[in-house]
Amino acid sequence: MAIERTLSIIKPDATRRNLTGKINAKFEDAGLRIVAQKRVKLSAEQAGKFYEVHKDRPFYGELVEFMASEPVVVQVLEGENAIAKNREVMGATNPANADAGTIRKEFAISMGENSVHGSDAPETAKEEIAYFFSGLELVG
Ligand code: RTP
Ligand code: MG
């Protein structure tokens, strides 16, 4: 199976509640390695560009405002099948539909304030990692 990298974001609802360590433990317990990590406060412009793919969706304005409201932790996770594995550990977008033991089931507040982001495909993972990190910052 291929070793992949994926971009993960611990969202403002989780950083505000001091859940970074508990969320990172979920990733590590699933066999994902955190090969880069930083805490940043996104501007609305930076958050808007990151989520540009959703710009025509009704929740876009709210999503951008939320992501720029407080610091986030951006990170690169590495491991076998990392993109799918990370999404498994995150759980469904809506925490009401998330499986037991997933991050969103345990920690998410709502569909919008759902604690984590994870890339959804190899191409988007590559773009999203490059959006936040230079090659020198990735230490596998
Ligand atoms: P993400 O991109 O953050 O990892 O989440 P995802 O793939 O599970 O969900 P996606 O469809 O890409 O949506 C991106 C984020 O937008 C917010 N959202 N709000 N109020 C709503 O109906 C709604 N739908 C989506 C969520 O924060 C979701 O994670
Ligand atoms: Mg998504």
Side-chain angles (χ1 to χ4, degrees):
M1 213 176 279
I3 299 289
E4 291 177 335
R5 285 175 170 172
T6 192
L7 191 277
S8 164
I9 304 179
I10 301 179
K11 294 183 179 184
D13 67 283
T15 60
R16 187 192 341 130
R17 289 175 291 150
N18 241 0
L19 294 170
T20 299
K22 288 196 171 90
I23 289 173
N24 280 347
K26 294 266 195 201
F27 296 140
E28 292 183 340
D29 288 349
L32 294 165
R33 182 176 298 276
I34 301 162
V35 298
Q37 176 168 259
K38 59 190 170 190
R39 183 175 166 97
V40 290
K41 171 80 165 61
L42 299 177
S43 66
E45 195 189 351
Q46 289 165 334
K49 195 159 170 239
F50 180 78
Y51 274 120
E52 204 158 33
V53 62
H54 294 310
K55 69 177 186 310
D56 296 327
R57 309 277 288 276
F59 57 80
Y60 178 71
E62 200 180 314
L63 174 61
V64 169
E65 191 184 337
F66 168 59
M67 291 300 288
S69 66
E70 284 178 84
V72 297
V73 173
V74 294
Q75 47 192 193
V76 178
L77 307 179
E78 182 183 87
E80 272 182 16
N81 221 4
I83 297 166
K85 191 178 279 180
N86 178 39
R87 291 182 72 83
E88 235 177 81
V89 176
M90 291 197 301
T93 310
N94 183 345
N97 302 329
D99 289 339
T102 61
I103 291 168
R104 284 167 169 167
K105 184 66 177 185
E106 284 188 22
F107 303 125
I109 294 170
S110 65
M111 178 99 158
E113 300 201 26
N114 62 359
S115 303
V116 279
H117 161 85
S119 306
D120 58 13
E123 194 48 44
T124 45
K126 204 173 162 203
E127 285 170 18
E128 290 178 3
I129 290 169
Y131 188 73
F132 287 111
F133 294 97
S134 76
L136 283 175
E137 293 176 294
L138 306 174
V139 185

